[in-house]
Amino acid sequence: MMLDGRFLFMVGPTPAGDRLAVIRLGGHREGNESAWDCAAREVLEESGLTISPRVPPCTYWLQLGRHDPGLTVPPRCDWRPSGSDASHVDAPTPFLIVQGSGAEVGQLSAMYLVDAEGTPAPTHEAPGLLLLRPPEILKLVEQPMTLGAYLSDGGQAIFQEPLPELLPLEPFLQLRVLATLLPHHPQILR
C-alpha cells in the first residue's frame, strides 16, 4: 500500500514479545467477501485509510516451503497485464499470492498494490504503522535494526501507544518479498 510515496506496514510486538513484527495490513475474510473486499475492509479497520487498486506489473505466486527464507530469487511470476485493457480489469489483481504449506496448504493470502487516501491512524488492531521508503525497506530486510535506530535514521511511524524502541524490527514475509521485487519493478513507485 502506498501513501505519499511510502509503503505502509503494521508494526507490533511478536507473541513472545522479544521483537517487533513488521507485517502487511490485512486479515481474514468474513462471510462471502472477496479477497479484495477483505483487504479494503481490513486496511480501513487497521489504519482508517481507504484504498484503490493499481494494476500490478505482474502477479507473483509464492508457495511457502519452496523458497529459501532469504528470498534471494523472486517467486514465480504467473500473470502479466497485456494490451490496453490491462487497466480495465473487473476485479483487482493481486501483486502477490502466497499459498500456505503443510496443514495450511489450502490457504491463500493475497497482497495488492494499492494507493491509499486519508490520514493514517493505527487502531486497536494495529499498535503502530511504519511508513517506509524503498531504501528503508531494503535496509530493514538486509540488516538488523531496532525501532529506535529506524526512527533516529529519519524513519516515519505512527503509534497508538509507544512501542519499545530497543526491540529489533522483524520483517515478515510480505515485506521481504517486496524488498526482493522492488528492484525488478521500479515502475510501482510511480
Side-chain angles (χ1 to χ4, degrees):
M1 163 179 5
M2 292 203 63
L3 178 69
D4 299 327
R6 294 178 182 263
F7 290 90
L8 233 65
F9 278 82
M10 188 182 335
V11 62
T14 59
D18 59 345
R19 291 161 291 159
L20 295 172
V22 182
I23 60 175
R24 65 159 171 78
L25 280 76
H28 296 87
R29 290 181 5 182
E30 293 180 0
N32 291 326
E33 71 183 348
S34 69
W36 169 254
D37 290 338
C38 172
R41 176 185 52 75
E42 289 283 350
V43 167
L44 183 62
E45 289 176 0
E46 294 170 350
S47 70
L49 298 170
T50 57
I51 57 174
S52 56
R54 296 171 67 186
V55 175
C58 181
T59 295
Y60 286 91
W61 182 273
L62 175 67
Q63 183 169 359
L64 296 180
R66 288 195 179 172
H67 298 273
D68 75 65
L71 295 170
T72 55
V73 178
R76 189 177 81 225
C77 178
D78 284 340
W79 176 86
R80 292 186 189 279
S82 61
S84 60
D85 65 340
S87 62
H88 303 298
V89 292
D90 292 332
T93 304
F95 181 50
L96 173 67
I97 299 172
V98 178
Q99 182 176 4
S101 64
E104 298 174 347
V105 74
Q107 293 183 7
L108 300 177
S109 173
M111 182 173 150
Y112 295 90
L113 283 180
V114 302
D115 290 311
E117 294 180 16
T119 302
T123 66
H124 68 282
E125 294 182 28
L129 300 171
L130 297 184
L131 294 92
L132 301 164
R133 294 175 296 163
E136 293 168 334
I137 291 172
L138 298 175
K139 188 175 180 181
L140 182 61
V141 168
E142 292 172 357
Q143 64 189 39
M145 181 183 304
T146 64
L147 176 60
Y150 167 76
L151 295 172
S152 68
D153 277 350
Q156 290 188 358
I158 304 168
F159 301 110
Q160 190 182 142
E161 57 188 59
L163 292 174
E165 291 189 18
L166 294 178
L167 289 182
L169 294 169
E170 181 180 328
F172 272 46
L173 179 69
Q174 283 83 2
L175 186 62
R176 293 193 326 265
V177 170
L178 184 59
T180 302
L181 297 178
L182 277 173
H184 299 281
H185 300 291
Q187 71 271 31
I188 67 173
L189 302 175
R190 296 180 197 123

